[in-house]
Amino acid sequence: MTDSDAEPSTVKIVDPMSADYDAAFAAFLAHTDQKERAHEKLVHIAARLARRRTLIDAGAGTGQTTALLARHFAHTIAIEPNEHLRRKLARTCPDATILGEDIATALPDRLADLVLSAHVFYYLPPASWLTALQRLASWTAAGGSVVVILQNPDTDCMRLLRHFTGRRFDLRALGRTFAGADHDWEMSVSTEPAVIDAPDLDTAVIIAQFLLNLVPLPDPPTVDDVATYLRDRFRVPGGYRFSCDQDFLELRSPGPS
């Protein structure tokens, strides 16, 4: 078979336990202000809480955000089912109580004034979203808040995901459904802008492949198709720029403020 006859390479399905995942995630973080913007917003949310006794971070990952917020709370519970990430979490947050279960099975031993789940709901079946949110709410102390973060569905990144997978994530709809079922909770959604600036197409493709792995890829697109999509839509002088604004769904528990 000649090179011209070779099958085109497809987007790689990345195991979250692998070094490839770590490298792709590192490339994403190195070229975006998303995490910095999220940290600013979360510190602001924490500062306005009446009490800061306990933080629960459900899906804490490597613990960077957990460690930042833990400074503002007397006690921290970090939930992370991925063993690979949990080892890093233990190093980043040595004083936190770490639970190795997921949202559906974890049993925190106390209620929290802030329950956070950042960029986790991508990985949950859509039919389980409301149940997962209700479970997070059940861990929340009176007067506390639940915060769920995902990318806004109209960002460039989520349009890319929808183009190649058909998947769409909408926290506003989830919040309305939750508030409709429990009228005592206050619900709001705010959007914080963020961007990815990749210096070249190769880097942009690595980041795009990482984003596409947010969902199962039974029929992954070709890398060439992804590169063409990026060139046609996101090329700017000096590289590639695409938006990754974040939606913050905040639910405030009834109770003393």
Side-chain angles (χ1 to χ4, degrees):
M1 179 181 289
T2 65
D3 289 344
S4 61
D5 294 326
E7 289 290 328
S9 62
T10 58
V11 167
K12 187 174 184 179
I13 298 173
V14 180
D15 180 354
M17 301 281 285
S18 70
D20 285 343
Y21 177 90
D22 291 345
F25 188 34
F28 171 74
L29 291 178
H31 296 94
T32 183
D33 61 350
Q34 188 187 83
K35 188 171 285 291
E36 289 81 1
R37 293 297 185 96
H39 286 177
E40 291 170 5
K41 176 73 172 180
L42 289 169
V43 167
H44 175 73
I45 290 172
R48 69 168 189 256
L49 291 170
R51 301 180 182 87
R52 290 185 289 277
R53 296 162 297 191
T54 299
L55 163 72
I56 294 177
D57 189 352
T62 60
Q64 291 179 329
T65 299
T66 320
L68 174 85
L69 289 175
R71 303 170 196 164
H72 302 273
F73 291 83
H75 185 69
T76 296
I77 298 172
I79 298 170
E80 178 49 60
N82 183 313
E83 182 182 0
H84 177 63
L85 299 178
R86 201 163 59 245
R87 287 195 292 269
K88 298 180 181 181
L89 171 63
R91 293 194 293 270
T92 307
C93 303
D95 296 326
T97 298
I98 297 176
L99 304 180
E101 296 82 21
D102 58 20
I103 291 172
T105 58
L107 295 171
D109 64 357
R110 65 189 74 191
L111 299 179
D113 300 296
L114 178 61
V115 177
L116 171 66
S117 185
H119 298 283
V120 171
F121 274 50
Y122 306 119
Y123 305 102
L124 303 181
S128 73
W129 275 28
L130 181 58
T131 300
L133 184 57
Q134 290 168 333
R135 190 159 177 82
L136 297 177
S138 74
W139 300 339
T140 308
S145 290
V146 177
V147 176
V148 179
I149 309 173
L150 289 180
Q151 277 202 36
N152 180 280
D154 294 321
T155 63
D156 292 333
C157 288
M158 291 296 100
R159 288 193 182 104
L160 178 145
L161 188 74
R162 190 156 63 250
H163 176 82
F164 286 108
T165 72
R167 292 290 298 276
R168 188 177 193 274
F169 303 99
D170 188 351
L171 278 182
R172 289 182 186 274
L174 175 63
R176 287 193 297 268
T177 301
F178 179 92
D182 193 330
H183 301 289
D184 291 333
W185 289 70
E186 295 180 27
M187 187 275 289
S188 65
V189 179
S190 60
T191 303
E192 298 296 321
V195 296
I196 296 167
D197 280 309
D200 50 53
L201 182 59
D202 287 345
T203 304
V205 168
I206 290 170
I207 294 169
Q209 291 188 88
F210 170 74
L211 293 167
L212 289 170
N213 270 271
L214 291 174
V215 300
L217 292 172
D219 186 22
T222 69
V223 173
D224 286 346
D225 284 347
V226 172
T228 298
Y229 184 96
L230 296 170
R231 274 195 301 264
D232 289 348
R233 291 164 177 82
F234 303 149
R235 184 163 49 184
V236 296
Y240 291 77
R241 168 169 282 209
F242 33 121
S243 63
C244 56
D245 306 354
Q246 299 169 97
D247 279 350
F248 288 71
L249 168 63
E250 184 174 0
L251 302 169
R252 288 171 291 279
S253 169
S257 60

